[in-house]
Amino acid sequence: AQETPGVTGGKPFLDMRAAAFLALCIAGIVLLGHIHAQETPEADAAPEDASSVVPSPNAHTSVLFPDSLDGKFVLGQVVDILLGFHNDGDRAFNVTTMTASINSPTDFNFFIQNFTAYHPNAIVAPGEQATLPFKIRPDPNFEPDREVVLALTVKYTNEAKESFGTVFFNSTILFVEPSSSFNTTQFFSFISLIALAALVGFIGYKVLRHFNVVKGNRGKRRGAPGAAPASVEDFLLSNPNRPNGEWQGRRVVSSGGGKKKR
């Protein structure tokens, strides 16, 4: 039997193309994984540098939020921060930088908002203490009643040019809406209730008015009180303001076959 040209030779050719395509896919996956592995250490470089700054054993810090003693902050308002810095060493400290950031409570390396650094450049002599103010303005578009982490850091140097850093606050806080503001959801709910009440009142008014009109028409047809008089004479007789006997006399004249009353 004679072999058909191209049949036996076509299968190896197709297998080679499939193998080449598979090899290219594997090479692409390996290359993407290599690039991702190189980018990951660079993303973590910032937290490592921040954690390399250690506090001085001669520096003691405290923090106070004058407008919020319960850890709740009003959205859209400036947050006042007071840093208490105490130097119990024998060398002066120069407080150079104060920083603040809002981080995710589940991943501290995820920054929700990073604030501009403040440079007080305040000298705290040995045995002295100082109170340094710091202000931040959180984003007013934050979701209310959601916990986030507020991190506050102070950096300082001594006379020997040694650098130190202390995280003087690192805890969860809560943003709340202003008490004087009207909640949007409550506003639309209130408007909806007013519209529903107006609609129910309008329908009830129309129904009551409809029944009153039908009842009044039936009363007029049956001669109920208030029905229109059958003739002008009846109307005159039913007039409460007429003088006694005036229309009665005219009625007698009318009933007398047209004779005039003398």
Side-chain angles (χ1 to χ4, degrees):
Q2 186 178 359
E3 295 181 356
T4 303
V7 174
T8 57
K11 291 183 178 179
F13 178 73
L14 293 176
D15 293 341
M16 291 178 63
R17 291 180 61 182
F21 178 75
L22 182 61
L24 288 175
C25 292
I26 295 176
I29 294 174
V30 172
L31 180 62
L32 291 176
H34 180 69
I35 294 175
H36 179 72
Q38 288 182 344
E39 291 179 350
T40 302
E42 295 179 359
D44 296 336
E48 290 179 0
D49 294 340
S51 62
S52 62
V53 181
V54 296
S56 170
N58 298 320
H60 305 279
T61 59
S62 59
V63 63
L64 176 65
F65 301 98
D67 300 329
S68 176
L69 302 179
D70 55 357
K72 296 181 180 180
F73 299 89
V74 180
L75 286 171
Q77 294 186 5
V78 175
V79 177
D80 291 319
I81 305 169
L82 296 178
L83 167 64
F85 191 93
H86 181 216
N87 181 9
D88 62 357
D90 54 1
R91 293 181 178 180
F93 285 118
N94 179 17
V95 181
T96 58
T97 308
M98 298 173 66
T99 60
S101 65
I102 296 178
N103 306 336
S104 171
T106 57
D107 184 6
F108 185 78
N109 294 328
F110 180 76
F111 292 86
I112 300 177
Q113 184 177 4
N114 204 6
F115 300 95
T116 304
Y118 171 58
H119 304 280
N121 294 320
I123 303 298
V124 183
E128 299 291 334
Q129 59 183 2
T131 301
L132 305 175
F134 187 28
K135 296 179 181 292
I136 61 175
R137 184 188 293 274
D139 190 347
N141 296 321
F142 277 148
E143 182 180 353
D145 300 328
R146 175 189 174 188
E147 288 188 346
V148 294
V149 175
L150 176 63
L152 303 175
T153 305
V154 58
K155 296 180 181 181
Y156 47 97
T157 60
N158 59 11
E159 296 175 350
K161 302 302 180 182
E162 296 176 332
S163 298
F164 303 94
T166 301
V167 179
F168 60 94
F169 186 83
N170 184 19
S171 183
T172 57
I173 61 173
L174 191 68
F175 287 108
V176 297
E177 293 183 344
S179 57
S180 58
S181 66
F182 198 82
N183 186 276
T184 305
T185 304
Q186 294 179 354
F187 174 74
F188 283 107
S189 299
F190 182 70
I191 294 298
S192 301
L193 289 176
I194 292 179
L196 180 61
L199 179 61
V200 172
F202 177 76
I203 294 175
Y205 169 76
K206 296 293 288 185
V207 171
L208 293 177
R209 183 179 178 184
H210 173 73
F211 280 107
N212 287 337
V213 170
V214 171
K215 183 177 179 181
N217 289 337
R218 290 178 180 177
K220 292 178 181 180
R221 292 174 183 175
R222 296 177 182 177
S231 63
V232 177
E233 189 177 48
D234 292 339
F235 172 74
L236 296 175
L237 291 174
S238 62
N239 186 2
N241 297 323
R242 64 179 176 80
N244 294 332
E246 179 180 352
W247 301 114
Q248 293 178 357
R250 293 186 180 181
R251 186 175 182 180
V252 172
V253 173
S254 177
S255 62
K259 296 180 181 181
K260 295 184 179 181
K261 181 181 177 182
R262 295 178 180 179

